[in-house]
């Protein structure tokens, strides 16, 4: 039997402890229970100053990783908060195929989404909590995202293209869902294999060779 004082920490204490290191936060990986837990709705558990510092640390951690999104449970904090930002680097042909356009930094608080229309888009994606791997996920091409921002203002916005993929991936984290749960598992590829074989703008060749269905 093991005991830990951290079990009895309040959320603000837990966050203060994480921030005390001053650097990027450690990202937890698949198998950690917090990644399979429905995050608590954010309702002022952190005061404004602590929330601001936490959000800044989430952003620093995401950029350092580097990644285009990070949810609070990925740093061990079970609150419904995520950050997203994508400068959309890459080859023009790939960017065009993915609808990958720059997504300015933003904070998603208590987000939820619903599809707008039936269109789906399938591409390889990865997750900072499943390092080294990527898989094809067929996601809604267009979603309506509702929730709040970090100042408590209402968000109700439609996302398309790659930004739609990012907000779905991060919102799923807050429900305890990992992208592997909704991926074409036969597409699972190491980063090395993706670089070697599957860097085409679309995953059609991968679907043919690895044997999985595209929408
Ligand atoms: Zn992820």
């Amino acid at each position: 039997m093991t005991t830990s004082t951290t079990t009895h920490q309040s959320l603000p204490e837990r966050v203060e402890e994480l921030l005390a290191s001053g650097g990027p936060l450690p990202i937890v990986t698949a198998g950690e229970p917090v990644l399979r837990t429905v995050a608590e709705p954010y309702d002022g558990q952190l005061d404004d100053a602590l929330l601001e510092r936490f959000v800044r640390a989430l952003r620093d951690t995401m950029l350092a990783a580097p990644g285009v999104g990070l949810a609070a449970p990925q740093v061990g904090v079970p609150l419904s908060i995520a950050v997203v930002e994508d400068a959309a680097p890459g080859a023009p042909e790939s960017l065009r195929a993915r609808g990958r356009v720059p997504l300015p930094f933003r904070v998603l608080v208590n987000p939820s989404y619903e599809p707008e229309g039936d269109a789906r888009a399938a591409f390889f994606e990865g997750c900072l909590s499943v390092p080294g791997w990527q898989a094809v996920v067929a996601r809604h091409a267009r979603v309506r995202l509702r929730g709040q921002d970090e100042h408590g203002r209402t968000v109700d916005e439609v996302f398309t293209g790659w930004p739609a993929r990012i907000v779905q991936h991060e919102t799923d984290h807050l429900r305890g869902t990992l992208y592997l749960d909704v991926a074409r598992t036969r597409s699972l590829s190491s980063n090395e294999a993706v670089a070697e074989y599957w860097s085409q703008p679309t995953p059609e060749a991968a679907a043919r060779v690895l044997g999985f269905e595209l929408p």
Side-chain angles (χ1 to χ4, degrees):
M1 181 180 152
T2 58
T3 55
S4 168
T5 53
T6 58
T7 313
H8 306 291
Q9 272 180 329
S10 67
L11 272 169
E13 285 166 351
R14 170 94 191 104
V15 171
E16 285 286 6
E17 184 179 283
L18 278 172
L19 297 179
S21 76
L25 308 175
I27 297 175
V28 302
T29 50
E32 280 276 341
V34 68
L35 291 174
R36 294 315 201 167
T37 304
V38 177
E40 258 181 63
Y42 175 74
D43 185 23
Q45 292 93 331
L46 312 180
D47 66 35
D48 289 353
L50 185 55
L51 177 65
E52 192 182 325
R53 287 168 57 217
F54 180 52
V55 162
R56 199 179 312 134
L58 282 176
R59 184 186 188 205
D60 292 346
T61 305
M62 168 181 70
L63 295 177
V68 295
L70 188 67
Q74 293 183 274
V75 297
V77 175
L79 282 175
S80 187
I81 298 171
V83 296
V84 297
E85 180 172 9
D86 184 16
E93 202 190 343
S94 284
L95 297 180
R96 229 178 357 258
R98 290 166 168 72
R100 189 169 177 182
V101 294
L103 174 62
F105 174 72
R106 58 192 301 165
V107 184
L108 312 178
V109 175
N110 303 328
S112 66
Y113 66 81
E114 60 191 60
E116 291 255 298
D118 298 328
R120 295 207 160 228
F123 291 101
F124 277 99
E125 65 180 71
C127 178
L128 296 174
S129 292
V130 190
W133 297 92
Q134 298 179 47
V136 170
V137 184
R139 292 198 180 272
H140 304 298
R142 191 180 167 87
V143 294
R144 180 174 180 181
L145 187 88
R146 279 184 265 214
Q148 293 99 46
D149 69 9
E150 69 275 39
H151 305 294
R153 292 181 293 230
T154 299
V155 171
D156 184 350
E157 199 174 323
V158 172
F159 288 84
T160 59
W162 206 253
R165 176 170 300 268
I166 295 170
V167 300
Q168 287 170 81
H169 180 118
E170 298 312 324
T171 301
D172 286 355
H173 268 301
L174 302 173
R175 299 173 181 152
T177 297
L178 293 177
Y179 84 103
L180 289 172
D181 303 341
V182 291
R184 303 291 200 253
T185 44
R186 285 188 66 104
S187 70
L188 185 65
S189 300
S190 65
N191 286 346
E192 293 74 18
V194 171
E196 172 86 16
Y197 304 108
W198 312 129
S199 57
Q200 302 86 3
T202 68
E204 271 144 38
R208 208 163 48 238
V209 174
L210 300 178
F212 61 90
E213 303 275 318
L214 291 175

